[in-house]
Amino acid sequence: MSETAIDKEAIKQRYREERDKRLRPDGNNQYIEIKNQFGHYLTDPYTPFVEREPKRDHVTFAFIGGGFAGLVTGARLVEQGITDVRIIEKGGDFAGTWYWNRYPGAMCDTAAMIYMPLLEETGHMPTEKYAHAPEILAHCQNIGRQYNLYDNALFHTEVEDLEWDADNHRWIIRTNRGDEFTAQFLGMGTGPLHVPKLPGLDGIEDFKGHSFHTSRWDYDYTGGDDKGALMDKLGDKRVGIIGTGATAVQCVPHLSEACGELFVFQRTPSSVDERNNHEIDPEWFKEIATPGWQKRWLENFTQNQAGGGADEDLVQDGWTDLSRMYRDKMRDLFAAGDMNPKKMMEAMEDVDFEKMEAIRARCNTIVEDQDTAENLKAWYRQLCKRPTFHDEFLQSFNNPNTTLIHTEGKGVERITENGVVVDGTEYELDCIVYASGFEVGTDFARRCGFDPKGRDGKTLSEHWGPGMRTMHGTHVHGFPNMFIVQPTQGAALISNVPHNLTESGQTIAMMVRHAIDNRKQVMEVTQEAEDKWIELLLSGPGRQGGVIGSPDCTPGYYNNEGQARGPGAELFVGYPQGPMAYFKYLEEWRSSGDFEGIEFR
Ligand code: NDP
């Protein structure tokens, strides 16, 4: 056996051991749903609540969610001349995840040139390769203003009930603010990660100090602001942060800079690759920003990242790097006349090992204390968990005030009135920051607070009991005039979710324009078309061999915390030929004007 082969086996064995340490039978149930006595963790710290009269009117298009999905769909509708659009949003303003996530250091992890939607339409130049959160929030507000989406929007409003009124061909929408209005068309873009969760730890209610979730950052307590000002009220505080996911990786350096003492409680290390952020040069931007530039960049990234054989890599980041390495290996295999599925799988694995070894080596190079460096190493394939990219996170552990509490995969044991206990040791704290993430695998109706009732009086949850069924991930038979804006059963491109949303928004706007122009009140995907789409999805490779969501991975929200998924797991897939082919298909589908599979009545 060659030396590389021996190393590979050892690494695989370590991956298995590390996963097994973390597997637990309670899966998603280990987390607490934030409600009742925990409700204060959800309070909006950013915008005061304003009383208003309930709405009792009718709009052409109602959209649930004021994040990227709602904004791009709203903008595309307005471009199509449909201006009577009402966005309903539980936050106090637009921006969705970028409204809530104002923790220090928040920035996009996918290059801003492709991550921030409608850059060309708004004329905005991202100031950095990876824009910080305040810029993304301001950009969302700017989209809202440019497309007049504010006038009709309902903020601090949560939809509680949705019902199709078959007699009047419209949706009835009821909210927690007493609204009961109707809309001819309904869009939903609530995003996958909008409900914060807490670890279900004994004693969590007993803590006498201060605590908050990262998505409701309490700058009143910490001092500083989301634009990077030092959190000057933490200088004499002992702070603990629970969790080391993508959020913690971004805010730990800022806490480390500010806190008297910082304890980072880690259950599973993140893979932290280099970031190399830099300012965008306006001269360079002027040169590249020729008409159609953002579409070109989006497509180039998708081709690079998700297969499609692009000649150049415009974005050049950590996402495309892995694919680039993989393509080089494929070229070698091809040149050697050795292209077969087994060799290709092996090549994918080799690239992953190479990448992860380099990421692990970074820990030893950057972190001075070698025990800490070892404990910060991620032992799984890169796409098992959300990859992260940062140039200051690992460095934080060189600050004498910052201590990594490595829990051997067990996590925090319990909370006391004074602090946090790990392996029998109590860490006394003034403040606990929960970087414990968001609900993903929980029930749709629980996460969203509503469950649309369709044409036959069945709710979407009931309809999807045996598994999600749509055409394009957007249209559901039995739920007329309803559009879901999300990636699954469509492109399923998760490295740049806004690309999926932009394409859906454009498609929906063209369909609504078509219905109005042709005096059709109702549109609905036929049963046959929906079945055909599902059949097509299932004819693809599915999850087989894919890393994301694999049960071989260390547990996390990508793989349902390592638990078997419920019925219909095989339906969480995308277009068999990949995202780029899907976008091309969708463009042709909508541009033909036939909207095949949709019945207009
Ligand atoms: P995650 O779900 O990724 O992380 C939660 C963290 O809490 C994990 O490290 C988890 O450990 C840890 N945890 C849970 N219970 C315990 C416990 N009992 N003791 C110790 N640790 C515990 O949430 P994030 O908010 O970090 O990120 C969520 C997602 O949001 C990301 O995956 C990404 O998609 C998105 N995001 C995007 C950003 C961007 O684009 N810029 C920035 C930040 C987030 P374990 O891993 O063992 O479960």
Side-chain angles (χ1 to χ4, degrees):
M1 225 191 279
S2 77
E3 217 169 270
T4 349
I6 292 167
D7 285 344
K8 271 170 61 171
E9 276 318 308
I11 293 173
K12 279 190 193 175
Q13 177 61 22
R14 177 86 194 253
Y15 284 6
R16 279 191 292 270
E17 284 166 12
E18 295 290 337
R19 179 203 57 188
D20 293 349
K21 264 189 213 171
R22 291 169 172 84
L23 277 174
R24 42 190 291 168
D26 50 359
N28 270 315
N29 292 333
Q30 68 182 282
Y31 290 101
I32 295 176
E33 180 182 8
I34 304 189
K35 60 179 185 184
N36 304 332
Q37 74 272 35
F38 299 107
H40 62 277
Y41 283 102
L42 292 181
T43 306
D44 180 354
Y46 313 123
T47 312
F49 186 87
V50 180
E51 289 295 342
R52 63 167 175 80
E53 289 299 309
K55 293 282 179 193
R56 294 271 187 269
D57 53 357
H58 175 79
V59 293
T60 305
F61 202 109
F63 197 99
I64 308 174
F68 281 0
L71 288 167
V72 294
T73 308
R76 293 298 186 228
L77 285 163
V78 171
E79 283 171 355
Q80 291 287 337
I82 298 130
T83 53
D84 185 21
V85 178
R86 170 171 295 156
I87 293 178
I88 308 133
E89 165 56 49
K90 72 175 169 179
D93 201 338
F94 290 129
T97 197
W98 298 102
Y99 174 82
W100 295 112
N101 288 288
R102 303 187 191 197
Y103 58 83
M107 64 173 118
C108 55
D109 269 348
T110 305
M113 296 280 282
I114 52 162
Y115 180 78
M116 291 172 76
L118 308 180
L119 286 176
E120 206 170 336
E121 290 81 347
T122 53
H124 179 73
M125 178 196 86
T127 59
E128 298 171 282
K129 180 164 182 175
Y130 302 96
H132 278 76
E135 180 173 337
I136 306 175
L137 170 61
H139 180 62
C140 289
Q141 292 165 331
N142 193 27
I143 295 171
R145 279 190 295 271
Q146 180 167 325
Y147 290 93
N148 282 328
L149 297 170
Y150 273 100
D151 293 351
N152 221 350
L154 300 179
F155 295 116
H156 281 154
T157 303
E158 290 180 52
V159 171
E160 289 186 330
D161 191 46
L162 290 169
E163 194 185 335
W164 174 248
D165 175 353
D167 296 335
N168 298 301
H169 316 300
R170 51 187 54 184
W171 283 94
I172 304 168
I173 297 152
R174 301 185 184 94
T175 77
N176 67 342
R177 304 287 299 265
D179 307 302
E180 182 171 328
F181 59 92
T182 55
Q184 187 181 354
F185 302 102
L186 174 74
M188 298 189 293
T190 46
L193 296 160
H194 65 106
V195 180
K197 65 187 187 201
L198 293 173
L201 296 168
D202 280 349
I204 192 163
E205 290 167 80
D206 300 339
F207 183 57
K208 294 264 190 299
H210 195 69
S211 62
F212 55 88
H213 187 272
T214 48
S215 66
R216 305 289 189 277
W217 197 272
D218 189 350
Y219 284 104
D220 281 346
Y221 177 83
T222 63
D225 62 29
D226 60 345
K227 297 180 185 63
L230 181 74
M231 293 179 281
D232 54 357
K233 295 185 185 169
L234 295 181
D236 59 352
K237 299 280 190 289
R238 286 166 63 91
V239 176
I241 180 166
I242 298 182
T244 47
T247 299
V249 165
Q250 294 187 336
C251 67
V252 158
H254 296 263
L255 285 170
S256 174
E257 185 191 14
C259 295
E261 273 188 88
L262 176 66
F263 298 88
V264 180
F265 296 95
Q266 172 186 269
R267 188 165 66 182
T268 309
S270 274
S271 72
V272 190
D273 203 354
E274 61 187 18
R275 150 124 292 175
N276 292 327
N277 199 9
H278 59 77
E279 287 183 5
I280 288 186
D281 173 8
E283 288 307 313
W284 169 83
F285 184 76
K286 224 186 276 168
E287 256 173 52
I288 67 107
T290 53
W293 77 263
Q294 199 178 23
K295 189 167 192 294
R296 280 199 299 279
W297 274 64
L298 282 167
E299 290 181 353
N300 181 264
F301 175 81
T302 304
Q303 274 167 351
N304 273 288
Q305 214 274 315
D311 294 332
E312 56 177 343
D313 179 0
L314 294 171
V315 172
Q316 303 219 13
D317 69 355
W319 294 103
T320 57
D321 193 36
L322 191 66
S323 320
R324 216 168 27 238
M325 288 165 71
Y326 175 60
R327 270 204 311 279
D328 290 348
K329 277 258 185 319
M330 288 300 118
R331 229 168 266 145
D332 294 347
L333 281 183
F334 185 71
D338 226 359
M339 286 286 257
N340 62 58
K342 185 167 174 279
K343 288 275 182 196
M344 286 162 73
M345 290 294 282
E346 277 173 11
M348 265 172 109
E349 210 174 50
D350 286 350
V351 166
D352 204 301
F353 285 136
E354 237 174 83
K355 185 75 187 165
M356 287 304 288
E357 284 287 87
I359 289 174
R360 287 189 281 267
R362 274 188 95 222
C363 299
N364 295 107
T365 316
I366 294 171
V367 180
E368 287 155 15
D369 178 77
Q370 289 301 297
D371 287 340
T372 305
E374 286 305 312
N375 291 338
L376 283 162
K377 289 183 177 176
W379 292 100
Y380 44 81
R381 288 182 68 168
Q382 197 190 21
L383 297 181
C384 273
K385 272 193 179 278
R386 166 67 147 69
T388 74
F389 311 92
H390 214 283
D391 293 337
E392 286 98 34
F393 172 75
L394 294 172
Q395 287 79 348
S396 304
F397 297 95
N398 294 334
N399 292 344
N401 69 337
T402 302
T403 310
L404 178 74
I405 308 297
H406 174 61
T407 64
E408 283 291 352
K410 294 191 189 71
V412 164
E413 196 176 299
R414 65 194 154 87
I415 309 272
T416 65
E417 60 179 58
N418 303 316
V420 163
V421 178
V422 171
D423 201 18
T425 303
E426 184 182 69
Y427 296 84
E428 284 190 23
L429 299 170
D430 298 301
C431 175
I432 300 175
V433 179
Y434 290 104
S436 43
F438 301 85
E439 291 196 12
V440 176
T442 51
D443 187 51
F444 166 82
R446 160 171 155 177
R447 272 201 319 279
C448 291
F450 58 82
D451 199 358
K453 211 180 276 167
R455 192 162 38 75
D456 299 330
K458 242 192 191 177
T459 65
L460 190 59
S461 294
E462 286 163 356
H463 182 68
W464 279 355
M468 177 180 176
R469 293 184 76 84
T470 68
M471 183 172 86
H472 302 169
T474 311
H475 317 284
V476 186
H477 181 67
F479 293 78
N481 289 7
M482 184 185 91
F483 310 92
I484 309 171
V485 181
Q486 57 81 45
T488 307
Q489 297 192 356
L493 174 69
I494 68 146
S495 51
N496 188 23
V497 172
H499 194 172
N500 306 265
L501 310 181
T502 312
E503 289 296 323
S504 292
Q506 177 67 22
T507 310
I508 293 165
M510 288 172 73
M511 293 175 76
V512 172
R513 180 75 266 161
H514 179 84
I516 291 173
D517 288 349
N518 290 281
R519 296 178 187 282
K520 304 289 184 193
Q521 287 184 309
V522 180
M523 61 173 115
E524 183 179 344
V525 61
T526 64
Q527 184 69 63
E528 191 195 356
E530 188 181 277
D531 290 347
K532 242 172 94 183
W533 187 254
I534 296 294
E535 207 179 297
L536 175 74
L537 296 177
L538 294 177
S539 71
R543 289 179 167 276
Q544 227 180 7
V547 176
I548 296 178
S550 162
D552 296 339
C553 283
T554 192
Y557 78 84
Y558 272 16
N559 72 349
N560 197 34
E561 301 296 336
Q563 304 289 306
R565 289 179 195 266
E570 71 286 1
L571 294 167
F572 281 90
V573 284
Y575 192 63
Q577 279 80 42
M580 211 42 243
Y582 174 77
F583 292 138
K584 192 166 173 289
Y585 154 81
L586 191 67
E587 193 168 354
E588 284 166 11
W589 182 84
R590 66 180 178 233
S591 305
S592 75
D594 296 338
F595 305 105
E596 197 189 334
I598 303 288
E599 185 192 16
F600 290 84
R601 310 193 275 270

